[in-house]
Amino acid sequence: MIGFFLTALLACSSDKEKPKVDTEGPTYTLIFLDKTRSVNINKAFVAQKYQQAITDLIEQNVRQKGDRLEVYFIHENTSKARALNVSVRSEMDDVSAASPTDRETAETEFAMALSKEKSQIRQRVLQQLVAQNSGSSNQETDIWASLPVIAKANETGATVKVYYLSDMIESVKGTGRRDFQVKPPKDNAQADEWAKLDAEQLKRYTLGSPDITMVLPFEPNASVKENNPAVTQYWQTLFSELGVGTVAEE
């Protein structure tokens, strides 16, 4: 019995000394920044909330070589509005046969290189956050057009994380489109009805099961007229109908 416990103890100690190998695949992060007239990035609350969201998502998703991050502008021509495309270059050396000292040195060097790269990516994303769009494309908000972008990211086989920094007010004129500026859903029941109807024509996009986060620009005391819960209900239901993994609202 004593021999058994000694063997188990030695096995546990050996396991703890083994280097931690990141076996997770790459992460593909998509950030959609609303560049229409309904979102005012110059407003202090919005600027602070979106800057913090960007900092947090980069910290969470930029972890290893091969991770990718893209920024698209939401406006009249969302699917063609890629503003930034970066891939992580920092790479951890193979330490499988290294001594503990060499392993620690390699881990420290990797951590420093990754931290520097995160900082650079953050600055580049923040530059896009504050970029102004005074052109005519700011008159319409085509969030549907983000779906083929997500579908293309899904084709890579990476873990896809999607962030909408937007009020989510779809506003496109024309037959078969939604203009929530003119006619928003009146309640959750109508939002669900519209979302399920729209999903039938949007299922041509294979989104996979990405995690989606909607970061809304509304203060906690915003009125229902400004922050219509039926609008976010529409997106919750639409994304669910399209097979999305999780949908969060912040």
Side-chain angles (χ1 to χ4, degrees):
M1 183 65 71
I2 293 176
F4 170 79
F5 283 121
L6 284 174
T7 302
L9 182 61
L10 288 171
C12 290
S13 299
S14 178
D15 288 342
K16 288 180 180 179
E17 290 173 4
K18 290 179 181 178
K20 293 180 180 179
V21 179
D22 191 348
T23 57
E24 295 181 28
T27 299
Y28 198 137
T29 303
L30 290 170
I31 305 173
F32 293 97
L33 300 178
D34 200 321
K35 294 295 179 180
T36 60
R37 57 184 176 172
S38 63
V39 175
N40 183 8
I41 193 58
N42 294 321
K43 190 175 180 181
F45 174 83
V46 180
Q48 183 177 1
K49 182 174 184 178
Y50 280 0
Q51 287 169 13
Q52 188 61 55
I54 288 168
T55 298
D56 291 346
L57 71 88
I58 289 174
E59 184 62 34
Q60 294 164 12
N61 299 339
V62 175
R63 302 171 294 109
Q64 62 186 345
K65 183 178 181 180
D67 287 343
R68 185 169 170 181
L69 181 146
E70 292 184 348
V71 175
Y72 281 78
F73 290 163
I74 291 177
H75 51 43
E76 181 184 68
N77 192 22
T78 302
S79 64
K80 302 296 183 182
R82 190 172 71 181
L84 183 64
N85 176 22
V86 294
S87 294
V88 177
R89 299 185 302 273
S90 301
E91 185 174 16
M92 177 72 178
D93 292 337
D94 183 2
V95 294
S96 56
S99 68
T101 301
D102 289 344
R103 184 184 304 127
E104 184 175 351
T105 299
E107 290 173 349
T108 301
E109 289 177 350
F110 170 69
M112 290 177 63
L114 185 63
S115 178
K116 182 178 180 180
E117 196 164 4
K118 281 182 179 180
S119 179
Q120 293 171 341
I121 292 172
R122 178 177 180 272
Q123 290 305 315
R124 294 182 68 183
V125 177
L126 290 178
Q127 287 174 358
Q128 301 306 324
L129 176 66
V130 300
Q132 299 298 310
N133 177 25
S134 57
S136 60
S137 64
N138 71 9
Q139 301 298 304
E140 292 192 359
T141 308
D142 192 355
I143 300 174
W144 280 13
S146 66
L147 300 180
V149 176
I150 299 172
K152 187 175 180 180
N154 175 55
E155 292 174 0
T156 67
T159 298
V160 180
K161 308 272 187 164
V162 183
Y163 300 84
Y164 290 96
L165 277 59
S166 169
D167 58 10
M168 304 304 288
I169 304 295
E170 178 83 356
S171 180
V172 179
K173 298 176 178 62
T175 305
R177 296 306 303 261
R178 299 293 175 191
D179 190 345
F180 293 158
Q181 292 275 16
V182 176
K183 185 181 180 182
K186 63 183 180 181
D187 54 29
N188 286 350
Q190 187 171 61
D192 289 340
E193 179 187 347
W194 287 1
K196 291 176 181 178
L197 182 64
D198 295 341
E200 291 306 311
Q201 63 170 307
L202 296 172
K203 283 179 179 177
R204 64 183 184 273
Y205 301 118
T206 305
L207 305 188
S209 56
D211 291 336
I212 291 181
T213 303
M214 298 180 288
V215 187
L216 306 176
F218 307 119
E219 298 191 47
N221 59 352
S223 66
V224 172
K225 184 177 180 181
E226 181 184 7
N227 182 13
N228 183 351
V231 169
T232 48
Q233 177 67 25
Y234 167 87
W235 293 108
Q236 290 271 2
T237 302
L238 180 68
F239 288 137
S240 177
E241 289 289 313
L242 296 178
V244 166
T246 61
V247 184
E249 176 189 335
E250 295 180 359

